[in-house]
Amino acid sequence: MRYRNTQQLVDDLEQSGQLIRIHEEVDPHLQVAEIQRRAFRAKAPALMFTNVKGTKFPMVCNLFGTMERTRWIFRDTLRALEGIFKLKVDPLDLLKRPWRYTGVPRAGLCTLPKKVKTGPIMENTTTVSQLPQLHSWPMDGGGYVTLPQVYTESPDKPGFMNSNIGMYRVQLTGAPFEKDKEIGLHYQIHRGIGYHHSEALRRNEPLKVNIFVGGPPAMTMAAVMPLPEGIAELIFAGALGGFRMPMVTRKNHLPIMAEADFCISGTVYPGEQKPEGPFGDHLGYYSLAHDFPLMRVDNVYHRNDAIWPFTTVGRPPQEDTVFGEFIHDLTTELVPTVFNGVHEVHAVDPAGVHPLLLAIGSERYVPYAEERQPQELITCGMSLLGNTQTSLSKYAILAAKEDNPNLTTHSYKDFFTHMLERTDFKRDLHFITRSTIDTLDYSGTGLNQGSKLLWTACGSVKRTLGSTLPAHFTLPEGFTDAKMLISGIVVVKGPKHAANRDEHDNAMFRLAEHLDNIGQLNSIPLMVVADDAQFTAANWDNFLWVTFTRSDPATDIYGAGAFTHCKHWGCTGPLIIDARLKSFHAPALEEDPDVTRSVDAMAAKDGCLHNII
């Protein structure tokens, strides 16, 4: 099936037993969001809510809730798309195995969008306040669109080939916005819409924006696809969808996706911003209210059988985890063609994606050296931190393929063990300060601002990692409850954080000095300080989330025997990461107890969600 709209997808999922309709009234304020999160965790079917409080439009969630369902949705086109990517890596494979690429020509023909004069999207108009008002978390500042496809075109070079479609969150309601006339448009740094907005500001012109909801599932996937700058998502959507994307084109109007369920058309004027947020985001914390572009609403269109697809985000894994896995599977063979010398990259979902990037690269610069040290790996790391979405990574940790050809970034235990056995902490840590970090990451020195760490290791094993704490190990006053995660990594409970933003904490210097005075701690090269050591060390998901979402490398890394020589920082070890919640961090996400009880009742025996979530 090549699904042209949400209704076709819903019908096919229902007929194949992969979607269930819920007719009991549900509330878009917190309740459906908690149901969706539980449905994802349970690997449940997609859920269609036909009776949504406050709106006439049905809502559907968990469409991409499992990798199996996502691949099933694109089953008719996925092989051809994979063939296109394969040919980019090895064009001669077409001559060797032509039968693998029978669908590639059709996929190529589908890339060009199709201009149409009208379409189902133009059948009706409505207002913003009549749309479903999804509140995912208790502190959310208003109703949000969580699966938007935000369409813009370059003001300098308008047209499909210079368009961008991105999944930038959209706040429909809230105190700052005039009802039905204004909405908030939040986009993070390093996003395609930013280039278009920059062009419009340079020209002192308004920027036209169309926000699509629903439509072909290929358009939703295209909106999250990290394509290189200059390649329009519409092209990818056509290849993945298996048909030319029909776009309604009218004079002096921005094109509208003909098969979308909804389209909010509007304009962003120069110099107009309003506070957007708070919003419970995919790092597992709230992103707080900040000034973002204000979009003035011109029209709201919807088709006759309009359905409102939605998801929620929060501490991973969530449904957007599946998006990441799907994209990784599609693009993994392309990595060496984009980053020379890099064999594997893994933006770690449990750590919130951008906070932690693991990679395997080559170390071939001086192959004859008696003792190899990171050189090419540093080049690989700088390339990763200077291109595409990997440039938003906060911690980039690279191992050398030559040391272990079977090593993979997806085995956290093996990867960190490999790194800790080989790292020379006097040499192998490279900091980039006063840099850009993910907009949603509040661990840095300000909004969009923080530091990065490039950590490389190669060569022979330098230490044996200990599985238990040395007999002479002690902690200074205020630090307790040491727990081993794996051999070489210990987590300790620290005192409550008290320093200001962009300042070191004297308590951490005390810890580093104490460990230096103890000495002989080579077997535990990495120590993480957390608010709850038992929780942090309980499993890898907890460790990765706490360690890398709650620390800024330049501010929160300390070390026993630390030194700075010619502006290079190093330590004799152990390396210490302060992963406590800071006094200036945004709060972590927590569900509303009353809503939880209401969903519990729906999931109980005789409830409409019994045996589903």
Side-chain angles (χ1 to χ4, degrees):
M1 287 290 291
R2 291 172 167 83
Y3 302 109
R4 295 179 177 271
N5 53 60
T6 307
Q7 188 66 61
Q8 287 182 356
L9 175 59
V10 164
D11 290 344
D12 206 25
L13 287 173
E14 186 173 31
Q15 291 172 14
S16 61
Q18 299 183 75
L19 179 140
I20 297 173
R21 293 178 186 261
I22 306 299
H23 300 295
E24 183 172 322
E25 185 183 64
V26 292
D27 195 335
H29 187 271
L30 303 181
Q31 189 180 56
V32 293
E34 182 158 345
I35 292 171
Q36 186 275 327
R37 291 190 292 270
R38 292 202 202 184
F40 172 78
R41 291 196 298 268
K43 296 187 180 298
L47 300 178
M48 173 92 153
F49 302 101
T50 60
N51 185 7
V52 181
K53 186 176 180 180
T55 182
K56 66 179 181 180
F57 300 109
M59 300 176 72
V60 65
C61 70
N62 214 32
L63 290 171
F64 305 96
T66 68
M67 190 65 171
E68 294 75 19
R69 182 152 63 246
T70 301
R71 293 187 70 89
W72 185 87
I73 289 171
F74 302 114
R75 61 196 181 279
D76 287 352
T77 58
L78 201 50
R79 185 175 179 181
L81 190 63
E82 290 169 342
I84 292 174
F85 289 162
K86 176 68 175 176
L87 288 176
K88 179 174 175 55
V89 176
D90 182 10
L92 294 179
D93 198 54
L94 176 62
L95 301 177
K96 300 174 187 175
R97 288 175 280 265
W99 58 89
R100 289 185 175 181
Y101 304 99
T102 55
V104 168
R106 174 173 177 171
L109 292 173
C110 293
T111 58
L112 186 64
K114 181 180 180 180
K115 293 182 179 181
V116 296
K117 293 182 178 180
T118 189
I121 186 59
M122 310 304 295
E123 291 169 340
N124 305 281
T125 60
T126 186
T127 61
V128 169
S129 58
Q130 294 182 68
L131 301 173
Q133 303 295 316
L134 176 71
H135 290 65
S136 299
W137 296 96
M139 287 174 53
D140 281 2
Y144 275 87
V145 188
T146 55
L147 284 178
Q149 304 150 45
V150 182
Y151 181 86
T152 56
E153 292 183 356
S154 164
D156 289 346
K157 298 178 180 178
F160 294 139
M161 295 301 102
N162 294 296
S163 65
N164 174 257
I165 303 172
M167 194 166 284
Y168 318 122
R169 74 175 189 241
V170 176
Q171 185 172 349
L172 297 175
T173 57
F177 304 114
E178 187 176 353
K179 181 180 178 181
D180 292 327
K181 295 182 179 179
E182 300 175 345
I183 59 178
L185 182 59
H186 172 115
Y187 65 84
Q188 297 154 247
I189 61 171
H190 202 313
R191 298 298 192 265
I193 189 176
Y195 306 135
H196 293 170
H197 196 186
S198 177
E199 290 176 7
L201 291 174
R202 176 173 48 78
R203 298 162 65 102
N204 196 31
E205 294 176 357
L207 179 69
K208 289 291 185 180
V209 180
N210 280 338
I211 300 167
F212 311 134
V213 181
M219 286 287 282
T220 299
M221 192 60 67
V224 298
M225 189 73 182
L227 296 174
E229 184 181 353
I231 298 180
E233 287 77 9
L234 271 175
I235 293 174
F236 175 82
L240 182 60
F243 58 92
R244 296 174 63 190
M245 290 294 153
M247 302 292 289
V248 178
T249 54
R250 300 172 295 166
K251 189 175 182 180
N252 298 324
H253 287 78
L254 196 63
I256 297 177
M257 181 169 57
E259 290 283 356
D261 287 76
F262 300 87
C263 175
I264 306 172
S265 293
T267 308
V268 176
Y269 290 91
E272 291 193 344
Q273 295 91 35
K274 279 192 175 182
E276 182 273 345
F279 179 76
D281 228 313
H282 70 246
L283 266 68
Y285 310 89
Y286 286 98
S287 53
L288 303 179
H290 299 281
D291 283 351
F292 278 95
L294 172 70
M295 177 171 157
R296 296 189 178 274
V297 178
D298 298 324
N299 290 289
V300 182
Y301 304 98
H302 72 89
R303 60 190 298 143
N304 285 332
D305 55 355
I307 302 170
W308 186 269
F310 75 96
T311 190
T312 60
V313 291
R315 180 191 162 183
Q318 302 288 349
E319 189 174 5
D320 56 351
T321 300
V322 178
F323 289 145
E325 291 176 356
F326 183 81
I327 291 168
H328 176 271
D329 285 357
L330 271 181
T331 60
T332 185
E333 289 192 76
L334 293 176
V335 168
T337 70
V338 178
F339 304 107
N340 187 41
V342 178
H343 304 280
E344 181 181 331
V345 295
H346 179 193
V348 179
D349 186 69
V353 182
H354 290 315
L356 177 61
L357 181 75
L358 307 181
I360 295 174
S362 290
E363 187 50 69
R364 304 162 296 185
Y365 278 5
V366 190
Y368 51 82
E370 183 176 346
E371 174 60 30
R372 291 163 51 251
Q373 66 181 37
Q375 292 175 303
E376 185 178 3
L377 281 180
I378 297 173
T379 302
C380 292
M382 291 297 186
S383 178
L384 288 166
L385 291 176
N387 288 281
T388 69
Q389 292 298 308
T390 61
S391 66
L392 292 176
S393 303
K394 185 169 60 174
Y395 288 84
I397 306 179
L398 282 82
K401 186 176 182 65
E402 289 77 8
D403 291 328
N404 180 0
N406 297 318
L407 185 67
T408 173
T409 59
H410 290 270
S411 173
Y412 303 128
K413 180 180 179 180
D414 291 345
F415 187 86
F416 276 91
T417 296
H418 178 98
M419 293 295 299
L420 292 173
E421 286 178 337
R422 290 167 174 79
T423 299
D424 180 346
F425 288 109
K426 299 186 297 295
R427 179 192 66 196
D428 295 340
L429 305 177
H430 308 277
F431 292 85
I432 302 172
T433 61
R434 304 303 181 195
S435 184
T436 54
I437 62 173
D438 184 15
T439 306
L440 307 179
D441 191 332
Y442 279 80
S443 66
T445 55
L447 185 68
N448 296 325
Q449 298 175 343
S451 64
K452 300 177 186 295
L453 173 65
L454 174 58
W455 172 358
T456 59
C458 73
S460 59
V461 171
K462 297 173 177 59
R463 62 179 61 83
T464 299
L465 304 180
S467 59
T468 59
L469 293 171
H472 66 289
F473 178 83
T474 60
L475 290 168
E477 182 179 358
F479 295 87
T480 60
D481 199 21
K483 305 288 184 185
M484 298 295 299
L485 175 74
I486 60 168
S487 296
I489 301 179
V490 61
V491 182
V492 303
K493 175 180 171 62
K496 186 176 180 180
H497 182 267
N500 294 322
R501 185 188 290 276
D502 202 20
E503 290 184 0
H504 288 304
D505 190 326
N506 288 330
M508 300 301 295
F509 285 123
R510 285 195 300 107
L511 174 62
E513 183 179 8
H514 179 88
L515 297 177
D516 191 35
N517 289 335
I518 290 176
Q520 297 182 340
L521 294 176
N522 197 44
S523 65
I524 51 168
L526 178 59
M527 177 177 290
V528 171
V529 179
D531 298 299
D532 186 336
Q534 185 168 342
F535 171 83
T536 304
N539 53 59
W540 275 104
D541 280 2
N542 289 359
F543 176 81
L544 295 168
W545 182 59
V546 170
T547 303
F548 297 103
T549 65
R550 299 183 182 182
S551 63
D552 172 72
T555 308
D556 296 323
I557 285 184
Y558 303 80
F563 65 89
T564 302
H565 175 70
C566 293
K567 299 183 178 63
H568 176 80
W569 186 94
C571 67
T572 57
L575 184 74
I576 305 166
I577 301 178
D578 180 4
R580 297 170 295 168
L581 275 172
K582 310 305 189 292
S583 56
F584 49 84
H585 280 182
L589 303 179
E590 295 181 358
E591 290 169 339
D592 183 285
D594 292 335
V595 174
T596 297
R597 283 189 286 271
S598 75
V599 177
D600 285 342
M602 298 172 77
K605 188 177 181 180
D606 298 327
C608 63
L609 296 172
H610 183 57
N611 287 334
I612 298 175
I613 62 173

